[in-house]
Amino acid sequence: MLAAKVISRPDTLGAEVQRFSQTPLRQTAFLNSVPKCGTHLLRNIVRMFVPAQQHYDREFLQIPNLEQHKAALHPQRPMFSVGHMLFADMSLMALKHANNVVLVRDPYDYVLARTRFNLSDQFDHPHQNHLKNGAVSVEQMMNLVIFGIPGRGPALREVFLFHAVAWMGTGVHVVRYEDIVANLKALDTPAAEMFFAQLLAAFGIAALPADWRERVRIGSDRKHSATAREHLSSGQTIPEILPDTQKQLVDHMAPGLRDLLGYA
């Protein structure tokens, strides 16, 4: 299957990272996310705590390109890299020595985010571009996200099964997008300090520097995220809340998924 491409804005965070003193990673760190679950948000926050020379930013790692980019996960040369790694024998072996953090999102909101992205001008996929510009309605695209497109795109159940569920109980650290957002909104509280200390420790960043809040604020600034919703354009209006019918379809397609991820 031909790969999708993202037509995105240039990186604007590199210069910000250079403003702060950094402690080198001593172990490979990998952000392993379900697609469209806030990958750029968490990636940019973590980047603010890692020396620029340890950022592996050539590519998002996935099984199809793993062989070309296996240097990103070399245990003797610790790097911070990001990707959408399916649970499989190859990925288990590649990530054996890495701090592996799996990022998830409420499947209801995943459908909205994926729909918004699929219909945007920034998403370029040779097998799905024909669905843009009003060719299908927003509700129809939601259902395609939920049930998949035979031979062209996976169903929601498979996306979460292989990118998140199968990883659970194997020593990874699972973090929910909504918990990150909630703690960003309460960044000056002791609870947020504990949350980010534990989250960054999961990547191998052992201690929060005194300026950690400033770093988190800069990293989480939406202007640095190429795929933030305000940077996506499609001409179609996506609702803020998933319609009740589509919620029922998610529950039918992937029964127990939201409960397993802590959203019930």
Side-chain angles (χ1 to χ4, degrees):
M1 182 180 296
L2 295 176
K5 295 185 291 184
V6 180
I7 304 171
S8 61
R9 298 143 54 96
D11 176 70
T12 57
L13 194 64
E16 298 286 358
V17 175
Q18 302 285 0
R19 292 174 44 205
F20 298 88
S21 61
Q22 309 289 357
T23 301
L25 289 174
R26 300 180 64 182
Q27 184 175 349
T28 300
F30 185 62
L31 168 55
N32 191 6
S33 68
V34 177
K36 305 316 302 169
C37 286
T39 309
H40 283 80
L41 171 64
L42 184 51
R43 170 181 177 258
N44 286 346
I45 290 173
V46 176
R47 285 177 64 194
M48 295 301 302
F49 296 85
V50 177
Q53 60 269 28
Q54 288 187 305
H55 297 180
Y56 192 87
D57 52 10
R58 290 174 53 195
E59 188 66 78
F60 268 42
L61 303 187
Q62 301 180 70
I63 286 180
N65 66 15
L66 184 57
E67 186 63 26
Q68 302 98 290
H69 300 281
K70 60 183 180 182
L73 302 173
H74 197 293
Q76 301 305 318
R77 296 189 295 274
M79 303 281 284
F80 168 56
S81 57
V82 182
H84 309 305
M85 198 75 77
L86 296 171
F87 184 83
D89 53 352
M90 290 177 58
S91 48
L92 287 171
M93 294 168 65
L95 292 167
K96 181 178 181 180
H97 302 286
N99 287 314
N100 187 359
V101 177
V102 175
L103 174 63
V104 301
R105 187 176 196 166
D106 188 332
Y108 289 169
D109 291 331
Y110 162 83
V111 174
L112 293 171
R114 183 83 246 185
T115 296
R116 183 178 297 108
F117 188 64
N118 285 5
L119 293 175
S120 73
D121 297 331
Q122 287 71 27
F123 177 64
D124 180 23
H125 195 299
H127 287 160
Q128 297 187 32
N129 286 340
H130 65 289
L131 300 173
K132 298 182 184 181
N133 302 316
V136 299
S137 70
V138 170
E139 291 77 15
Q140 289 169 338
M141 178 57 78
M142 289 179 186
N143 284 17
L144 289 173
V145 170
I146 295 169
F147 293 101
I149 306 174
R152 298 183 179 183
L156 175 146
R157 180 181 180 278
E158 281 65 44
V159 171
F160 277 85
L161 177 62
F162 290 105
H163 285 100
V165 172
W167 284 104
M168 298 174 72
T170 65
V172 304
H173 179 88
V174 179
V175 60
R176 302 188 305 180
Y177 168 78
E178 293 81 5
D179 293 334
I180 298 173
V181 172
N183 281 281
L184 286 173
K185 292 178 179 178
L187 197 57
D188 293 324
T189 66
E193 182 171 4
M194 180 178 297
F195 173 81
F196 282 106
Q198 292 174 344
L199 176 57
L200 291 167
F203 286 100
I205 301 165
L208 290 179
D211 55 9
W212 72 269
R213 287 189 174 89
E214 183 182 2
R215 299 185 193 217
V216 170
R217 286 192 178 99
I218 293 171
S220 63
D221 191 326
R222 296 175 67 86
K223 71 182 181 182
H224 297 301
S225 174
T227 58
R229 68 169 64 182
E230 59 268 27
H231 299 152
L232 302 178
S233 55
S234 70
Q236 292 175 270
T237 301
I238 313 298
E240 293 295 319
I241 299 175
L242 193 68
D244 288 342
T245 297
Q246 275 71 29
K247 288 181 180 178
Q248 294 171 1
L249 294 177
V250 169
D251 295 339
H252 172 78
M253 184 65 177
L257 175 62
R258 295 185 72 248
D259 185 38
L260 183 61
L261 297 177
Y263 292 104

